[in-house]
Amino acid sequence: MQGKIALEEHFAMDDTVKDSAGFAPAQDWVELKARLLDIHERRLAEMDAHGIELMVLSLNAPAVQAIPDRNRALDLSRRANDFLAEQVARRPDRFQGLAALPMQDPEDAARELDRCVSTLGFRGALVNGFSELAGTEHAIYYDRKEFWPFWAEAERLGAPFYLHPRNPLAKDAAIYEGHRWLLGPSWAFGQETAVHALRLMGSGLFDAYPRLQIILGHMGEGLPYAMWRVDNHNKWMRTQNAYPAKRKIAEYFRENFYITTSGNFRTQALIDAMLEIGADRILFSADWPFENIDHAADWFDTATISEGDRRKIGRDNARALFGLGEITIQSAAEQKTSSDPMEETREHLVRNRRA
Ligand code: GRE
Ligand code: ZN
């Protein structure tokens, strides 16, 4: 499929690239590092070769979220966002931006989100899970009440918030001791992020800010598969398991969440997600440079789903969610693919009549 839009696609700066070093075997680090630091060369060539028109870029992980000092977290966010804005300005037809945010201070985060959306033209934010904060040994999760003014601002700005994985803190990772292979994308990333997302759903956040939209990668971090069981059990436990939110957890999942295909190129998983959250809330992504663009695109382009769903997931849902219409119109015309499903039929009829 031509004209795909991909939105969990990372870059690094010199002072964040080392955060990704532990995720590649030594012999692959040279390659991964080069991919992270590149934007306009190899990346663009990969996009051209595999039908990706637009990447919505974000900083690598955990970066800002792992900086316990508030001021340093804010400083890195600003520098990363300014750098990204410059890159987007060079090719706004091929790259757009998601903001890095210093969630260590909810007010700073809200102000930086406003700056990124209102001044730099970013499309939303991507945050790498919980934040570390000096003076507390606990991971800070964003269902806490002090974040609600931040969420109000995200809703006001219409800015989707991508909740991206990171590993749990060592003190919270006893279950993985001696099983390093379970850390990172193989398991711990998804577990960590799914629980964070469930905390948001149960907190009542989406009753207060019903237009808020959260994006999860990796086909929803396991949640489509697990959602029914969460609600089914809580229904039975009623009073003991009461949570602040008003509705069933799955209702928030279906109304306040989008999921992407990043790093989970499996048709069986996609079809389950389509049955649970619906094709309107699934978005194509690769997870470059941690995953290969050809793996993502070759799989997605031939996955056994309808062509209408492929267009939605590959392009149209992202255009609607991020308001990308005005950017992509020109190349959509070039590709001779229309969002109007009748256009090809009309062209065909006209050609037949002429013939
Ligand atoms: C990611 O950010 O998506 C990521 C990492 C490290 C390993 C794999 C991966 O940060 O997908
Ligand atoms: Zn990622």
Side-chain angles (χ1 to χ4, degrees), residues 8 10 20 23 61 164 185 189 218 287 290-291:
E8 189 189 319
H10 311 295
S20 298
F23 292 104
H164 184 274
F189 274 12
H218 316 109
D287 210 352
F290 300 99
E291 304 284 346

Side-chain angles (χ1 to χ4, degrees), residues 56 81 84-85 88 92 95-99 112-124 322-324 326-327:
V56 188
N81 294 329
L84 178 53
V88 169
F95 298 116
Q96 290 289 308
L98 294 176
E112 182 62 4
L113 179 61
D114 179 37
R115 184 180 81 94
C116 287
V117 172
S118 307
T119 310
L120 302 182
F122 284 10
R123 300 288 156 173
F322 292 110
L324 294 167
E326 72 280 14
I327 293 167

Side-chain angles (χ1 to χ4, degrees), residues 149-171:
F150 166 83
W151 292 118
E153 183 69 350
E155 187 191 53
R156 184 186 72 80
L157 291 165
F161 182 99
Y162 204 124
L163 185 64
H164 184 274
R166 62 174 296 180
N167 270 324
L169 295 175
K171 74 168 188 63

